[in-house]
Amino acid sequence: MRHRRLDLVLFFLYCGLYAGFMGIAAFRQDWMAWPVLGGVNLAIAYGMGLILGAIALALVATLVRRGEGEGR
Amino acid sequence: MIYETNALAVAVFSLFVAAVLGLSFWLGRKATSAGGYFAAHGQIGWFVNGVAFAGDYLSAASFLGICGMIAFYGYDGFLYSIGYLAGWIVALFVIAEPIRRLGRFTFADALDAKFQSKGVKTAAAISTLVVSLFYLIPQMVGAGALVKPLLGLPHWSGVLLVGVTVTLIVVTAGMVSTTWVQFIKGALLLIFCAVLVGLILDRGLAVPRAADGATISAKDSARWTQTLETARDGAKLVNGAPLGADNQLDSRLRADVGTGFGSISALPGGVERTGPLGPISYLATFSQSTIVTWQKSEKTDAATGTRTATFTPKESTGDDLLLPGANPTFKGIRSPELSKKLDFFSLMIALFLGTASLPHILIRYYTVKDAAAARKSTVVGIAAIGGFYVLTLYLGLGAMTSGHLDPTDSNMSAPLLARSFSDTLFAIISAIAFTTVLGTVSGLVMAGAGAVAHDLLANVFGVVREDKAKVRVAKIAAIALGVGAMALGILFERMNVTFLVGWAFNIAASANLPSLVMVLFWKRTTKQGVVAAVLVGIVSSLAWVLTSADTIEKVYGYSAADAANLAFVPFSQPGLVTIPLGFVTLVAVSLMTRRNPATA
């Protein structure tokens, strides 16, 4: 149950990041043009971050729940 | 463009198809029971299942469509990469384990686990069939797009080739062969796309110049503009002379500057060539360069019926191309009016919520032994799929500056990018791209066949009772679905495959997600509520899509201005309205029926 709660926390954390991306893309285009990573703009860095962040969250959640759910 | 038959491509492709079919017939012996045919006995290992998730999910839309959209418009194609991958978070944290615990063979099994209602099974089966059909269209269009350069055959023959091969794969060994085809395809796609990106970075960026030092530019547009006239009888003229091997759409450009469509007119610091670049410096250099893209305008002579397409160079800064809003689908983002941004919000929400609602993805949770394996395979899938989507940005930008674009067909950008390196790589990439279609279409046909045989004919109508009869009926359904998919693939030839997949995600998210989530998390959900939500989701999203400006223009063939006037709905992507509508319907109907649940 505790881990189910962790799942939902991680899910809503990601939802927040995704919503932030949509909000900036729609209402703050000028922010998306900021160079933030070695000359790469925020649009690319944030987009890559969402992809790599999803992989990282998936790994974290799986490591925490190792062995759980076997045989079900 | 004229594409010649490439013998190596034919050899690689034939080898793959022969191997896949051989494997399918061999595995066919293990899939005679319903458990074997529909769910591979739940015995697929989590790693293989995870890579097969990638093989299932990374469709023609991902490889051909996204690369093509980035190559033509820049960043906007990458929005799809972000949305497609983000959707897996919903699958991992919300759907994966409960689905594995509740279901047996199909999406309907999980939705109906606590109700045992024929109404729920019927609604879920209809939804599976509708979503699968809409997802099949872009896959088959992609198959047709690939067969032109690969085998030098027309679009329809590629559609038939994929249709027949996939039907054989599904008919022989069901989920067992489908899983292994998807595993092989997923692995090959990732490996060779990584190789291609390595070559893009190693080549760096360069400015092609004519003998007089000129670069392709908007300033001297008359010199660079190309025309393609198509007469009513199909005869084609390029720049006034008949189309032929020596007079293709890019022949004049190649003779002048040594490169075709898609190039750079200025690099930062005035250099002519960068040499090898790293992943970050490639993007940084691109953003400071001036890129030549091509604008297409079309007019038709009313008297002769001849269509003339004119391709004019347009210079854009890399900075601008690496921001959202250049593609017509997303141009509303740059508008100050909120109403024009709604299409963007709607599509991004549909992509986020649609992945976990796709029937062909959901059935893969039944091929592993338990909930832990379902979860682990989802993580492997996310890593493989996420890695691929990072690569799509480089593939798209690499194609945009490769000098090998076909300005009449965005779907060809990725294979033609490979041709800019060598014919051998082109042959291999084209053959692998073909396998992307085989893998995804197999999963879709499998999901549809399960809906017909297991959900409708066995569980709802009760006309199929024996295990073996169920498998036999599923095979017949697979053949019917294969034939339907071929017809649709020929009908929708000219559509960008990514655009079409957007439809499928919207319909899946609207029809399936509200019920899936509420069945798992809201105890007051009733079977009547589920049936109503699924049907309202399908009908509302389908009606919205078919009466939208995008469809009126791109499918019914009206001009953009006429389409805007004729559209019944204010924006083209329905998810923003129809997904909440599904939730509201489910809650309202459940509250109205919860005291009398036996009346469905």
Side-chain angles (χ1 to χ4, degrees), chain B residues 187-411:
Chain B
L188 284 175
L189 187 64
L190 270 169
I191 292 166
F192 279 91
C193 283
V195 168
L196 202 47
V197 168
L199 290 170
I200 290 167
L201 297 177
D202 185 59
R203 178 164 69 185
L205 299 164
V207 180
R209 287 191 186 278
D212 62 1
T215 62
I216 300 171
S217 71
K219 293 182 204 92
D220 191 8
S221 135
R223 174 174 174 179
W224 308 110
T225 294
Q226 315 292 318
T227 61
L228 175 65
E229 293 169 67
T230 307
R232 197 173 270 160
D233 64 1
K236 290 185 176 178
L237 298 177
V238 170
N239 299 320
L243 173 71
D246 297 329
N247 186 41
Q248 300 200 40
L249 199 50
D250 60 359
S251 294
R252 214 170 72 181
L253 286 175
R254 289 193 181 282
D256 209 349
V257 287
T259 189
F261 294 94
S263 56
I264 294 176
S265 62
L267 282 166
V271 297
E272 292 294 301
R273 182 175 291 277
T274 63
L277 293 165
I280 291 178
S281 59
Y282 184 90
L283 296 172
T285 308
F286 183 94
S287 70
Q288 294 166 48
S289 304
T290 305
I291 316 295
V292 181
T293 57
W294 291 80
Q295 282 189 314
K296 180 184 174 186
S297 59
E298 268 190 311
K299 62 175 185 188
T300 303
D301 186 311
T304 62
T306 299
R307 275 183 297 120
T308 303
T310 305
F311 300 91
T312 317
K314 177 191 172 198
E315 284 175 287
S316 305
T317 62
D319 267 338
D320 194 49
L321 289 168
L322 292 180
L323 287 174
N327 181 296
T329 305
F330 294 111
K331 65 174 190 278
I333 301 178
R334 296 184 180 183
S335 161
E337 294 171 47
L338 177 64
S339 62
K340 297 202 169 145
K341 301 176 191 290
L342 295 180
D343 251 332
F344 164 72
F345 285 122
S346 199
L347 181 62
M348 293 306 281
I349 289 170
L351 297 183
F352 187 55
L353 300 178
T355 299
S357 322
L358 293 171
H360 70 294
I361 297 298
L362 293 172
I363 59 172
R364 183 145 293 293
Y365 284 115
Y366 305 130
T367 57
V368 290
K369 64 176 179 167
D370 55 25
R375 188 184 185 87
K376 281 192 268 188
S377 65
T378 310
V379 175
V380 172
I382 288 176
I385 295 164
F388 174 81
Y389 283 135
V390 168
L391 299 178
T392 57
L393 182 64
Y394 294 96
L395 293 172
L397 297 180
M400 183 185 258
T401 53
S402 66
H404 275 72
L405 285 179
D406 177 350
T408 65
D409 190 352
S410 63
N411 295 328

